[in-house]
Structures are given as C-alpha cells and as structure tokens.
Amino acid sequence: MDLTTTLLAASKADKNAEAQLHQWTEQNYAQIAPALALELASEDKPEQARTSAGLFLKNTLYGKSVKTQQIYHARWKALSAETRKSIKDSLMLALRSNLPSIAHFGAIAASEVAAVELPYREWPELLPTLTANLEAAPHIQQAAFECLGYSLERMGELEETVPGWPELQPDLVDKMLTTIVNGVSPSKPEPIRIRALTALRNSLVFVKKNMQVAEERNFIMRQALMEATRSPDVSIRKLAYESLDQVAELYYEHLQDYMSNIFELTTQAIRTDPDESVKIAAIEFWSTVATVEMSIIDEQALGSSSLACQYYTKSALPNLVPLILGTLSQQDEHIEEDEIDLHSTGALCLQTISQTVEDIIIPSVMPFVNQNISSDNWRLRDAAIVAFSCILDGPDTQAVAQYVSQSIPVLLQSFEDPNETVRQSAIFCLSTICKLHTIAIQPAQVHGILECLLKKLAESPKVASQACSAIYNIARSLRDETDQDTNLMSQPMMTLLQSLFQVCDRSDASEHNLRATSLEAAAEVISSAARDVHIILVQVLPNVIDRVETALKMPSLSKEENDEKYQLLSNWCILYQALLRQLPKEAVLPHADRCMATLLQILQMDNSISHDEAFMAIGSLVDNVEGDFAKYLDYIIPLLIKGISKFEETNACKTAIGTLVDISVNCGANLVRFGDQLVSVLFECLKDSSVDRSLKPVVISCLGDLAMALQGAYEPYMQVTAMLLMQAAQQQAPADDEDLLLFINELRLAVLEAYMGILIAFEDGNKLHLYMQLLQNIIGFLQYLATPASCADEQVVIKAVTLLGDIARLLGSNDSVKATLKAPFVMQLLTQCADVSTSTWTNEQVNAAVQS
C-alpha cells in the first residue's frame, strides 16, 4: 500500500514521493526493483500507479552519463538470478496486459532490461514471448514492436558510448529481424506498421551482415523501406525516408542497386508530398549522401578510403538543386530559433552539396541568385541571398571571387531592406564571405562594410547578433597582420570596441546570445590589433576590470540569473585573454593585482561555467607577467588543484592542467613548496581507470613541465613516475584500429615529453645520475618505436630522436650509454625521422658521444 500510494503521488510530480522512491532504490534495490515490476503487472492496482512503476523501474536502469549508466548496470547485475527472473516475468505479464497503457509501459521497462541482458545472451525467453505476442490483440502487438524498437535503440546507444560494451551477436540480430518483418507489411494496420518500421530503423546499425546478403538486403530496402515511402500514412512515409537516410550513412557501398528508385522517390516527395516533415526527411537523405561522399573524397585524397565514391550527388545536381532552391523561399517567420523547417533543411542540404561538389555548384545556383536578388517578393530576395551564402563554403576562392566582389554592394544595400529576415540573411552572407573569402574583398571596401555593420548593432537582437558575428569574422581574417605597425582595424578600433561594449549593456542583450556574441567580437577585434593601437588597449584593460568587478557584484536570485551572470563573467575572461596576449608586460603589471583578484573570485564560485575561461585568462596573465606571478601562488594553487581534481569533467580538468603548465614554465622553483600536492593530484588522475582516456597524455606531458620547474626537487617522485611512464609506454594498438592508434601515439608523445622534461630538470638540478634509473625503460621504449610493429607516427619518431640526442649530449660519457648508442635501433630511428634538422643534430650528438 505504501508503494502504491507513493507511486500515485509521484505520478502527480510530488517531490517528496519522488525522493522517497529514490531513497528506497538507493537503500534496497533488490527489494524495490521486483516490487515495481510486480506493481506494473498487477491488474488489481490503479492504472496510474502501474504506469508510474514502469517508468520508475526503467529509470533505475537508464543513466544520463556513462559513469551513472555503468553504476546502474552493475547494480542490476548484482541482483540474484532469482530476483532478476521475477522482475522479467512481471514485465512479460505487463506486455500482455489488457490495458494499452500498461502494455506500453511494460515495453519501455522491458526494453531497458533487454538492453542490459541481450548483448550478454541473457533473457532468452524475451524474443519468443514477443513473437507469440504478435498473435494477440493489436495493442499487445504494438507493445511487442515498441519493446523491440526501444531495445535496439538503447543497445545502439550503449554500444556507442559505454567502453567495452559487447557487440550484438548476428544470430540475435537475425532473430529480432525475423520478428520485426512480421509487422512491416502494407497489409498490417498502420499503428502496428509504424512501430515495426521504428524497430527496423533502430535495428539498421546492427544489420551489417544482413546487408551483405542480396536477398535480405532487398527485403529491407525494397519490400520494407521503399514500399513504405508510398504509404498514405504520414508517419510511415517519414519513417521510411529517415531509415533510408540511415542506410546511406551506414551502408553507402550497398546503395548502387537502389539509387535510381530512391532518386525518383525522394525528388517526388520533395516536389509533391503534402506533408512538410516528409519533404524534410527526403531532403535529409541527400544531405547524408553528400556528407558521406565528401568524407570519401577527402579520405581518397589522403589515400586512406576503403570505399569508392559513386558521385551520386554530382549526378543528381541538375534535377535536385532546382528542387532544393525552391524550398529556400518557404520561410516560416514564426519558427523558433532551434526548430527545423523546410527552408533551413534545404539550406543545409545545399551547403553540404556545395562542400562536396565544390566549384561545379556555381552554375547550378547563380542564375537563381541573379534572377531573384532584386525581386519584389521578399521571400525570393531572401532565398537568393541564402542560396549564395550556402555555396560560399565549397568552391575555391578564385572560382567565386568575381561573384563575391559583385555581391558586396548588393548585400550592403540589403542591410536596409524593409524585411528583417532579408536583413539578417544579408548580414549572415557577408559574415560568411568575411570568414571564407576575405582575400576576395578589396581592402578599400572593409571600412565601408564595418560602418554598415556598426549601424546594424542598434537593431533587433537577432540582427545585431549577426552583425557582431560579421565583425568577428572580419577581425579574425586580419589576425596574421597583428605583427605590423598598422592594419585595416586600426582606424575603427576605438569605435568598434565602444560600440560592442554598448551592445553588451543593452537591456535585451540576453536575447539571441547577443551579449556573448558582442564580447566574442570585441575579443577578436582586440586580437587583430596592430602595434599602433596598443595605446588604446592600455586604456581598455582597466575598463574591462571595472566591468568584471561590477559583474561580480550583480545580484542573482534565480538559477537563470546565476547562469547569465556566470556566462557574462566567462565572456569577460575571454576579453582578459585577448588583452593580456596583446599588451606588453609593463602595461599589464600596474593592473595585475586587480585582474588577478577578479579571476580568483570567479574561481571561488560554486558554478563552473566560467572556470575554464578564468583558468585560461590566468594562463595568459602568467605568460605576460612571467616570474612576477609568483606572489599569487598561495592563492591560485589550491584552486588549481581543485580544478584538476574534477577528473569527470574532462575539459575543465584539461584547462586547469594547461594553466599549471603555464605556471610551471614561468614560476619555476617557486613551485617547490607545492610539489607534493601538485604531483599527488596528477598521479591520482593517472591511476584512476574511470577518467576519460584523452586526459592521460595531458597529465603525463604536464609531469615533464612540472619536473622542469622543480628541477632536483623532483627526486622524491621518481619511483612512481618511472612506473607510470613505463605502463603508458607499454600501451599498444592494432594497426587497423585507427582511433586507438591515434590515442596511443598521443600517449607516446606525452611519455617522451615527460622523459625529456625530467632529463632537463635533473640537468639543471645537478642530479643527472638519478636519470640512470629511467634509462633501461627509455631504451626499451625507443627500441620498440624503431620497429614497424609500433606504428609510431611522424611526430612520435621526431620526439624520440630528439630525446635520443639529449641523452647522447648529457649522458654520452657513460660507458653503458655509449654502448647503447651503437645499437642498430639508433640508426633506424635516425633514418625514419622526417625532420632533417632534428635527425642531423641528434646524429652529431650520438657521434660525439661515441667518439669521445
């Protein structure tokens, strides 16, 4: 009775009831899990309590993060076989309930259990039960297909996200497909067919073996999916095109026999289907085909593609592009920013096609642009501008240069169009030109463009945000000219910064991400500054500090206000970084204390939204003031250790480690008194098996930088360091696993950097004799890297040769080192080294050591 009452209350969003259920789950999962399953299956219980039980049971197995998922699965597997059987028996009863809602929630809960058990060949009774249920009432059949569909979807997600998750066995896939095909026939009722097609779509990621068999492939493609595109039911047609989209992504190599039919079906759907969602799904098929072919072409250029490009996109251009262009004039003025409509889908497809076919897209689109750019109909004017924007990314600058040059006056004129959508598109188009084809813009045009953009900063948040992005792209294109006395940003510098700061102060700046966009643009304008405007930047720094101090005092009562405040502080930290990278040390030192005080306050806040940028700003301050940063170490080190300790927040941890590297480089021996704490947290990260593997190389490389700072004081950490570096160096990957091999080479590079850092540390600390403890491991590592079996990449070999040179230079007088330098692997590494100067230098050091 307590459980039923609690479930009824939880179904009405009673927080206390929800907390009670969570408490029971944490305290005694072995009791609550079967109780929930039994509640779901009990016909004498209230329907609302039963559906609530099914949903909650499902949630006890569904983790939102990989770590939580692993904990939940371990908790399930810890249940006794008898307890798990009782739960599954109850779920199979629920799947056959006379109430459609109970069968539905039974499918949801059963699918989560199936996702955990089927890959391990457990719960063999499930598929026969589902197959038998296909002879029962229609709602029970629907629940059977729902269970299959949800199970396949979850198993696909788990296989992709959870490390070490087992692949679904082909014989199990065959059994599931056999069950699914019963429901895809046009003779089946539409609700059943919808659920069967959903299950088929979710199974596609697992049917690689089936797609290699012509008869099975033909059934999936022709009898199931292509037949479904002709259904009178909108949901079925949409599902069919979504599934064909997934086939194109997963099994491009098997499309050839079906492309003629698919071309007819998709183009007909784009042209005449009465439902927009079906049109969108048909267009997305071609976006996927173009994306796959772009990847194949790129890989072929590198000599690494295993697929042959069939150039379906290029062949479809004459008939497909006019249909896509037709969608661009079907704008939905009331659509939310993140929603997808026919217009945005068509634009994305055209852009993807352009990226794939490159220059040959131009003659297919430019007649449409020229014909409609001056139309009386705003929809056609906008469509022309959007079409031109879409083909800017793909063709070479030389191919579009004349069109870019001609477009700028027209686009600036469109800035004043009476329709806001057209104004937004014109600004976006010009922003894209500035990003991709700046060299096609005449220098004399830049100031005129900036003047027009400055006027747009006063318009609606959406238009102003687009203008900020355009200013950002213009400034970014001039980054290579910062080491000059002057550049195109010098004259408008002060006006640009003042205007962008004013935008940040607008009362509506939180709309359309305007505040963040304006400050990002201001940071890029600062980063593009030439030497003649540094005097302006000197005045800007204290102004920015004032603004950060004001932001820190902002009251924030709600979570939304808090997040807005932290995001604002994060954006101001980006400004700090830009200024600190540009200004000379003597200009920064008078303001360093105030700047550092604000950054420490940000890092002391509970919310971590702004911590990453604050750490990077501190890194910029360290690089600027160098050794003068040492006076802040007592304040920053505890916060730095706290940031590094967040192993589960991979990017935040990496950022904190990057700041530690900056401090190590600039503060050197001042870090000695913090050595135990810093080395300890880095060791802890390396020993934690649950951390994201991409952290490991970052941590190992940091040990080398920290060692160089500590010099001889690194001696107490040598034993553990030697063990950890040896373990990392022993990691290997099969030659055909590209992702793992890439990671292993990153790891090797970090190990070599650590070995080099420690060598330099002991050289500076007059303790080179300690390095001999590492030498046996290092030589074994270098010998392995010299062999083809290691699959060491170019950068690893270069770093290995550099380390070898340092060893020869500093330890070459030792007889055992001298003997090692005569070994064949040394010449093998030198021969493989792609950097001639490094190879030559190391060869000289080796020869000098051997001959000494």
Side-chain angles (χ1 to χ4, degrees), residues 499-572:
S499 300
L500 291 167
F501 287 168
Q502 287 169 6
V503 169
C504 177
D505 295 333
R506 284 173 50 160
S507 59
D508 58 359
S510 59
E511 297 177 31
H512 294 282
N513 206 31
L514 178 56
R515 181 174 288 111
T517 311
S518 67
L519 292 179
E520 286 169 5
E524 200 58 44
V525 167
I526 291 168
S527 296
S528 71
R531 284 189 288 269
D532 61 343
V533 291
H534 280 189
I535 186 65
I536 294 174
L537 303 187
V538 171
Q539 300 168 37
V540 171
L541 178 57
N543 179 264
V544 170
I545 296 173
D546 289 342
R547 286 173 169 272
V548 176
E549 289 172 343
T550 301
L552 283 165
K553 296 172 185 174
M554 283 171 49
S556 48
L557 302 176
S558 67
K559 181 181 183 302
E560 186 176 289
E561 288 175 337
N562 259 323
D563 288 347
E564 192 173 327
K565 174 179 177 177
Y566 296 135
Q567 187 59 57
L568 175 61
L569 289 168
S570 179
N571 294 132
W572 283 118

Side-chain angles (χ1 to χ4, degrees), residues 674-785:
F674 305 104
D676 287 353
Q677 303 167 61
L678 292 170
V679 173
S680 176
V681 72
L682 295 175
F683 282 171
E684 187 181 343
C685 183
L686 288 176
K687 292 174 182 178
D688 190 334
S689 60
S690 67
V691 304
D692 189 290
R693 72 182 188 187
S694 66
L695 262 179
K696 304 288 186 178
V698 179
V699 175
I700 289 172
S701 179
C702 179
L703 283 174
D705 291 297
L706 186 57
M708 284 190 285
L710 302 183
Q711 298 183 6
Y714 194 79
E715 180 181 353
Y717 320 116
M718 274 292 292
Q719 188 173 353
V720 178
T721 300
M723 178 191 69
L724 292 171
L725 293 183
M726 181 182 70
Q727 290 173 348
Q730 289 174 343
Q731 300 295 309
Q732 298 182 23
D736 58 351
D737 190 335
E738 292 184 11
D739 288 342
L740 184 56
L741 190 58
L742 182 64
F743 165 71
I744 292 298
N745 277 316
E746 289 175 359
L747 195 64
R748 290 166 174 170
L749 199 62
V751 170
L752 292 166
E753 288 171 348
Y755 279 139
M756 290 171 66
I758 295 168
L759 179 58
I760 293 168
F762 286 159
E763 177 193 14
D764 294 341
N766 296 316
K767 292 188 176 182
L768 272 176
H769 62 281
L770 295 174
Y771 199 74
M772 299 302 292
Q773 300 173 28
L774 298 173
L775 209 55
Q776 184 176 350
N777 291 341
I778 293 173
I779 297 304
F781 184 36
L782 294 178
Q783 285 176 326
Y784 177 66
L785 293 179

Side-chain angles (χ1 to χ4, degrees), residues 264-480:
E264 294 297 332
L265 291 168
T266 51
T267 53
Q268 184 69 16
I270 298 167
R271 189 182 296 111
T272 65
D273 198 286
D275 189 87
E276 182 173 295
S277 68
V278 178
K279 291 176 182 279
I280 288 173
I283 292 171
E284 287 176 338
F285 169 82
W286 284 102
S287 295
T288 298
V289 170
T291 300
V292 172
E293 293 192 334
M294 182 174 21
S295 297
I296 293 172
I297 292 167
D298 290 344
E299 288 170 3
Q300 284 176 337
L302 298 172
S304 60
S305 178
S306 59
L307 296 177
C309 185
Q310 302 299 326
Y311 299 100
Y312 299 129
T313 310
K314 183 178 178 181
S315 301
L317 276 185
N319 296 296
L320 180 62
V321 168
L323 294 176
I324 301 300
L325 291 171
T327 68
L328 300 184
S329 58
Q330 300 183 46
Q331 303 92 334
D332 184 345
E333 296 175 82
H334 306 294
I335 193 171
E336 294 294 327
E337 193 164 0
D338 296 331
E339 288 182 348
I340 296 173
D341 65 349
L342 193 59
H343 168 83
S344 61
T345 305
L348 179 60
C349 183
L350 183 60
Q351 182 182 39
T352 310
I353 290 172
S354 175
Q355 292 167 336
T356 304
V357 302
E358 299 180 337
D359 293 359
I360 65 172
I361 192 68
I362 296 173
S364 297
V365 174
M366 285 313 298
F368 174 87
V369 174
N370 293 328
Q371 180 182 344
N372 295 291
I373 192 70
S374 301
S375 172
D376 293 335
N377 185 335
W378 74 264
R379 291 184 181 278
L380 292 174
R381 293 198 304 275
D382 183 68
I385 295 171
V386 170
F388 187 54
S389 299
C390 290
I391 66 167
L392 288 170
D393 192 2
D396 184 75
T397 295
Q398 191 173 356
V400 295
Q402 65 175 21
Y403 301 108
V404 167
S405 182
Q406 294 165 9
S407 73
I408 289 176
V410 179
L411 291 171
L412 293 179
Q413 186 178 349
S414 298
F415 277 21
E416 306 303 324
D417 194 281
N419 183 275
E420 182 173 306
T421 301
V422 177
R423 296 200 298 274
Q424 291 169 15
S425 297
I427 296 171
F428 177 79
C429 184
L430 188 60
S431 176
T432 306
I433 288 172
C434 295
K435 180 180 181 181
L436 300 173
H437 304 290
T438 313
I439 59 174
I441 302 174
Q442 298 299 319
Q445 294 176 307
V446 172
H447 286 166
I449 293 171
L450 287 171
E451 286 177 16
C452 291
L453 291 171
L454 284 169
K455 292 177 184 176
K456 297 296 108 180
L457 294 179
E459 291 201 18
S460 70
K462 195 168 186 180
V463 171
S465 184
Q466 293 280 18
C468 289
S469 295
I471 292 170
Y472 174 96
N473 286 331
I474 292 173
R476 191 164 187 82
S477 71
L478 296 170
R479 268 202 172 190
D480 292 340

